[in-house]
Amino acid sequence: MKKLLIVISSLALACGLCAKTLKIEVPPANLVGTPVPIKMTNLEPKAPNPEIEVPDDVTNVALKKPVTSSDDFPLIGELEYVTDGDKTAAEGTAVELMNGLQWVQIDLEKECEIYAIAMWHFHQQERVYHDVIVQVSNDPEFLTGVTTVYNNDFDNSAKKGKGENLPYIETNNGKVIVVNPPVKARYIRLFSNGNTTNDMNHYTEIEVYGK
Amino acid sequence: MKDFTRRDFLKTAGIAGGGLVLSSSLLRAQGKKAGDTLNIALIGIGAEGEILLNSLLKLPNLNFVAVCDIWKPRCTYGFRRIFREVKQKPEQYEDYKDVIKNHAKDLDAVVIATPDFWHSPMTCDFLEAGVNVYCEKMMSDTIEGAKKMVRAARKSGKLLQIGHQRKSNPRYIFARDKMLKEGKVCGRIMACNGQWNRAVTKDLTWPKNQEIPEETLKKYGYKDMAQFRNWRWDKGLGGGAISDLGAHQIDVFAWFLDANPKNVVASGSKEYYKKDWSDNVMCIFEYDNPDKTQVFYQVLTTTSSGGGYFESFMGDEGTLKMSENPALTKLFKENNGPDWEPLVEKGLIGKVESTNADAKIADSRESKPPMEFGFPEKIPGYDPDKPIHMPHLENFLGAVRGENKLNCDAEHAYAAEAVVFKAREASESGEKLAFQASDFVVED
């Protein structure tokens, strides 16, 4: 059944039926200060965001949706910043969570078909966040039915399985994850474990494109 | 993962002065020795204060007594970091005078990272109250303010360290003492150049729901929130890029050359940001050493081009290009210079894999490129994973405990910053200005 849906979906998109190229708005670049050296050798080459064909009615279904976290006492900012629609790199747009492996979780409030996820951790400075893992599920506890759609934990330090994606440098372009084939889920959980500048975890904005 | 949550905070919020917190009255700011716990306060938790806090939180035997910032979210940030990372509960203050009033008798040290125009009054008040001070550079936005700090340190007998952190950087200390002084790798250093080039940045903003009340801003010397966030550009508050960035590097030239400059000519441009202080400044100094070394220094805030930030010592036998970023640090040997193998064997320099020795020369008038060497594999005290500000803080805290001397006390910092003040004056006036011996010392 799942395979049939994928085939039908792909055919519909291939024929241009009710399809569009997803437009993800990118905030202005706003790098501040002197770059901190990034001591990593396995970085993903910088590249433009991918072009993604999606059905016409796909939108950012995460906008203004409730956010919870492994750290419910942020060092600065509020969890609602994660889905407030403001992805600019300015004071007061990012929430900072404690060091160590932390997650934020978005409740889409109903099951959605997810085609892409875009994320901006912190882009006032070029840095790399460690152990970036993105999972989706219909289980708010993420105990069952968990699908990992992105994982750059190359050494399995987060103990959630070794990831095949490469660590990347944060920019104003964010990181766009193509979910192909699309996955149905209500909750999105995003992990990170500090960054190359400091030990903290930051989220400026998460967008989930689905219907 | 959930090491400390909002619920935990609420549960423990009533345990003020006990429980998780080391009572500050148990410790006294006198007779400290190696390993003793020190009571400290942090005044100013903006971008620089956060960098210092990152290091302080990794250092042992510190008891955070108070955090202070006029911007409530930043003060709370400092509190939460300390509370959650080292399980201490510093008191939060808006006004540093309340920190002095309530804690001076118990404080061993204070770390000040506020806008420049507050450095002098805060430092002088803490010293007068008997507290050792680590203050970020510049010492002050005015030379008179810096002089007051030197005099306050002398009068109080307390320690005053200024945040020229390269002075405690093991790589810089090794480069100066071993490579230049002992190994004489550069030969005669006839020229130096240095720069800090930064790309264009927009004015800093702030969340509209977190504005500081107008009366509070006025009380602390700011006309509005925009000035509070962008004070570095304004006369009367900060000193501009030549002061913010240049002070770090201009200090290195005098330190490495063991000399002060004789004169300076400089040019500044205010055409880009149209602010009080120049966007870009270019200076030429002539140093009062046997080789009469010429030093060119520029700070640019309109481009990141040109290779970042470094201080380069260009001798007739070799060139040492220093940078806080190890990747930008280079050592080159002139092809007609002496053999450096003995220096490699003595551990004063290291070899690198790539070399320019066989590079093709496109034009016969061009010199053959110099050969590349580097630092030896092991540099005493150098830990690549240690934040760059940490050694300078360790040096300060070690001095408070009587373990070592300060690497950048008020007198030495003043001599270094006097050069920056005059360079800035030269860039404003366009005149060639001479230094007098009296420029580098503070009279009583």
Side-chain angles (χ1 to χ4, degrees), chain A residues 28 31 33-34 37 39 70-76 81 90-92 96 98 101-103 199-200, chain B residues 1-2 5-7 9 58 71 74 77 80-81 84-85 196 198 201-202 205 207 210 229 309 325 384:
Chain A
L31 293 171
T34 300
K39 298 170 195 164
S70 54
D71 181 0
D72 64 354
F73 188 30
L75 291 162
I76 202 160
Y81 293 179
E91 184 80 26
E96 179 173 319
M98 270 296 283
L101 187 69
Q102 302 287 356
W103 52 258
D199 299 334
M200 304 301 142
Chain B
M1 211 183 305
K2 277 182 181 270
T5 67
R6 190 188 299 270
R7 284 182 296 279
F9 168 70
K58 293 178 192 296
W71 202 9
R74 296 306 302 178
Y77 175 76
R80 289 184 179 182
R81 286 284 306 276
R84 301 190 62 185
E85 290 186 41
W196 200 320
R198 269 187 177 173
T201 52
K202 293 174 188 159
T205 57
Q210 291 177 14
R229 294 288 288 138
Y309 59 118
N325 181 350

Side-chain angles (χ1 to χ4, degrees), chain A residues 87-161:
Chain A
K87 44 193 157 177
T88 55
E91 184 80 26
T93 60
V95 62
E96 179 173 319
L97 310 177
M98 270 296 283
N99 56 4
L101 187 69
Q102 302 287 356
W103 52 258
V104 293
Q105 182 170 315
I106 302 166
D107 178 2
L108 302 178
E109 296 182 322
K110 64 175 184 181
E111 184 185 79
C112 296
E113 190 168 42
I114 299 166
Y115 288 79
I117 298 169
M119 55 187 172
W120 290 261
H121 286 97
F122 184 86
H123 58 96
Q124 273 196 337
Q125 180 188 54
E126 290 200 336
R127 56 173 68 167
V128 176
Y129 282 83
H130 304 300
D131 303 345
V132 176
I133 302 167
V134 182
Q135 296 179 329
V136 301
S137 177
N138 275 321
D139 176 3
E141 300 300 322
F142 277 73
L143 298 174
T144 59
V146 176
T147 303
T148 299
V149 296
Y150 183 88
N151 183 349
N152 69 18
D153 180 12
F154 57 89
D155 57 1
N156 194 25
S157 53
K159 305 282 188 283
K160 297 192 176 297

Side-chain angles (χ1 to χ4, degrees), chain B residues 163-433:
Chain B
H164 293 273
Q165 75 271 1
R166 285 167 178 74
K167 284 273 175 62
S168 298
N169 184 320
R171 291 171 54 255
Y172 274 77
I173 293 169
F174 185 88
R176 177 187 182 270
D177 295 347
K178 296 295 178 184
M179 297 165 95
L180 291 189
K181 302 289 176 200
E182 186 177 333
K184 301 189 189 315
V185 292
C186 292
R188 294 178 63 190
I189 299 170
M190 306 308 295
C192 297
N193 81 322
Q195 67 173 47
W196 200 320
N197 294 355
R198 269 187 177 173
V200 168
T201 52
K202 293 174 188 159
D203 275 358
L204 295 174
T205 57
W206 63 95
K208 295 300 173 199
N209 60 355
Q210 291 177 14
E211 287 195 348
I212 299 172
E214 194 180 332
E215 63 272 24
T216 306
L217 287 166
K218 296 268 188 294
K219 175 183 173 186
Y220 294 103
Y222 305 95
K223 67 182 180 193
D224 54 28
M225 199 64 193
Q227 189 182 50
F228 170 72
R229 294 288 288 138
N230 298 283
W231 57 270
R232 292 176 185 277
W233 291 105
D234 285 7
K235 287 185 178 174
L237 282 75
I242 186 68
S243 154
D244 287 335
L245 304 174
H248 282 299
Q249 300 177 289
I250 291 169
D251 174 38
V252 173
F253 295 122
W255 181 34
F256 276 33
L257 295 173
D258 262 338
N260 286 318
K262 286 193 303 181
N263 54 59
V264 57
V265 60
S267 167
S269 166
K270 298 176 184 172
E271 294 303 311
Y272 196 83
Y273 296 108
K274 312 283 188 192
K275 304 272 192 178
D276 283 359
W277 294 117
S278 296
D279 328 309
N280 297 336
V281 179
M282 299 182 180
C283 321
I284 299 172
F285 302 92
E286 291 173 355
Y287 272 70
D288 192 12
N289 59 345
D291 285 326
K292 312 285 182 234
T293 304
Q294 294 171 291
V295 174
F296 171 74
Y297 179 76
Q298 69 175 12
V299 58
L300 307 181
T301 59
T302 57
T303 176
S304 62
S305 181
Y309 59 118
F310 57 82
E311 308 89 38
S312 198
F313 296 83
M314 298 180 284
D316 57 353
E317 296 175 3
T319 288
L320 174 63
K321 182 182 173 189
M322 287 300 300
S323 175
E324 271 192 325
N325 181 350
L328 300 179
T329 303
K330 305 282 181 192
L331 177 64
F332 299 104
K333 175 187 169 306
E334 292 289 331
N335 281 283
N336 53 5
D339 181 14
W340 277 5
E341 280 304 321
L343 300 179
V344 174
E345 285 169 17
K346 282 178 76 175
L348 296 180
I349 62 172
K351 281 187 169 175
V352 294
E353 282 182 14
S354 67
T355 173
N356 291 325
D358 299 323
K360 295 279 187 291
I361 297 171
D363 187 314
S364 61
R365 292 164 295 184
E366 187 183 341
S367 297
K368 191 177 176 184
M371 299 169 68
E372 190 172 350
F373 285 75
F375 275 73
E377 208 166 296
K378 294 207 169 159
I379 301 168
Y382 175 58
D383 175 356
D385 294 326
K386 197 178 263 194
I388 55 173
H389 293 74
M390 191 187 280
H392 207 44
L393 286 162
E394 287 176 307
N395 171 261
F396 169 65
L397 298 170
V400 174
R401 294 186 179 104
E403 297 169 19
N404 51 261
K405 289 184 177 175
L406 293 177
N407 283 344
C408 189
D409 63 28
E411 314 273 349
H412 287 88
Y414 179 83
E417 294 189 8
V419 181
V420 180
F421 281 116
K422 191 150 286 196
R424 194 177 65 191
E425 185 186 340
S427 76
E428 294 275 299
S429 69
E431 293 173 18
K432 183 175 184 176
L433 301 178

